[in-house]
Structure formats: structure tokens, C-alpha cells
Amino acid sequence: MDEPDDRWIAATASALLAAEHERIPIDALTVRRPGLPLEIAYRIQAAAVERRIAGGARVVGHKAGVTSRAMQEQMGVEEPDSGVLLDDRVLPTGSTLARSALMRPRVEAEIAFRLGCDLAGANVSPDVARAAVKEVFLALEVIDTRFTGWRLTVADSIADNASCARVVTGPMVPLGADMDLAAELLIVSVDGTAVATGEGSAVLGDPLRALAWLVGRLHRAGDGLRAGQLVLAGAVHASLPLEARCTVRARSSHLPPVELHVR
């Protein structure tokens, strides 16, 4: 199959944005282009993000996705991906979200970071990544797909901005020297009933490894993380369907809880 050109990349980015706006899904890209290179998928993502920025959105961070074995098995992929966080998709804890604004939403609990300084480079260690973190918090990420279903390749997910739809941020606290994020147990409840659990170690062994992985991926694209940016490390459990008229809450031993109301 011929190599996608700039016009196809731009048209595909426009089609994904239109699918999201109109809530009418399109076929997965790899249905028409099996073996779509990840490099091209990231170019589609970047083109769509540039369109969103031109429309007034602002980059506030990045997400690492599909970093746990549970999510990789659920999505049928074998490696992480990453996406861009935009300010108009980030909500504070306690926010209300309309289910009708989304297509096939699912929700997942994550450990997340706010950086205190810039972080970039090819081989950043988890210790160096930790030193760059100012605050840590729990987040609920609402993922959604602009494709016809969740049977996706990692290339499809990447092109669709790693399936990111909304991010709900919990209260942020300093990352203490004695805080073991790998051992942090997250409990997710829906309407007061626990429905999922997972430890930070589910994310590449330690959420800070996901942060280090993300820095390396951005470096290969000629980019890095900036002070003040938010970073999601990835779900510690398999994602859950997000239904209307419910409240989703995540809590853990050492981090303040985060909550989302869905109408």
C-alpha cells in the first residue's frame, strides 16, 4: 500500500474531529490501511491537535496510555501510546459530565503528576523523572473512541489522541520522598459500590516508569515536558463502561479522592 501523504493525514485528522463533533463514528483507520505505521498515526494526532489549538484550545500536558497489562489485554495491544491533554477537556473533581456528549465512553482511574520543572531527554530514569515531579494526584480519565467500536490497533488509538475524551483531576499533593507509588492501591466505586481496584505497580511496574517512557517518546518526536504540565501515567485496571446518571469515585491510601458525576 502506498505511503500516506500530507493531504491524507490532514483529511484523516479532519474526519476524526468531525466524528467527535457530530458523534458519528468512522471506520478504524487500519481497516483501510492495515499496518499503518505508528509514526503516521502520531502525525495524524498532531494534525488534529494543531486544529484544536487553532480553535482556541491550549496544551496542558500529556497522557501515557495502555501502560498496564490489564489495559493492553483489553485493547489487544502490546505497547503503550501517548496523547495530548488540552485545557478544555480537563475538569476539576466533583464536575458533572453529560453522557450524551460522548459516544462509547469508558472510565479508568490513574495516578497522575504535575511537573515542577522541564523534563526531556532520551534515557530519563524513573529517579530523574521523580525529581521533576512537584505534585501527585488521582485522576479519572474518560476515554472514548471516534471509531465504530473498541476493536482497535495501537495505531488507531494513537491517531485518535490515545482515545482521550475528558480528564478529571483530584486535589494535588506534594510527592513526598517516602511515597511509594508502586504500592498505592486505587479503589474505584460507582454509586458507592467498589467495582475495580489496582495498584500503581500495574503501570509498567511503577507510574514513574510511565512518566520516563513518555519523556523518551516525546524526545524521539523532538519534544519534551514543561514545568506545570500534567501527566497521566495510565490506568491501573481495565476500563469500565461509563453510564448516565451515576457517580464514579476513585480513592487510595495516601492521595485525596477524585469524583465525577455523569448525567
Side-chain angles (χ1 to χ4, degrees), residues 50-74:
E50 286 172 5
R51 289 273 299 274
R52 295 283 313 284
I53 292 171
R58 181 171 56 89
V59 175
V60 295
H62 296 262
K63 61 161 284 188
V66 207
T67 49
S68 69
R69 176 53 56 188
M71 282 300 297
Q72 289 177 0
E73 290 176 353
Q74 185 180 51

Side-chain angles (χ1 to χ4, degrees), residues 76-151:
V77 303
E78 298 179 351
E79 59 188 293
D81 62 12
S82 75
V84 179
L85 304 182
L86 299 169
D87 63 332
D88 58 352
R89 302 302 170 89
V90 178
L91 310 170
T93 184
S95 293
T96 297
L97 176 63
R99 168 65 178 78
S100 59
L102 303 168
M103 298 167 70
R104 297 173 179 267
R106 303 182 70 87
V107 65
E108 49 197 43
E110 312 190 15
I111 292 173
F113 307 104
R114 189 168 78 89
L115 296 187
C117 62
D118 293 355
L119 186 60
N123 296 296
V124 169
S125 70
D127 286 343
V128 170
R130 184 185 189 107
V133 172
K134 181 175 184 178
E135 294 169 310
V136 61
F137 59 99
L138 294 181
L140 290 170
E141 184 184 6
V142 177
I143 59 172
D144 201 2
T145 179
R146 273 56 76 167
F147 299 119
T148 51
W150 279 109
R151 295 182 63 84

Side-chain angles (χ1 to χ4, degrees), residues 44 127 220:
I44 295 167
D127 286 343
R220 292 191 294 275

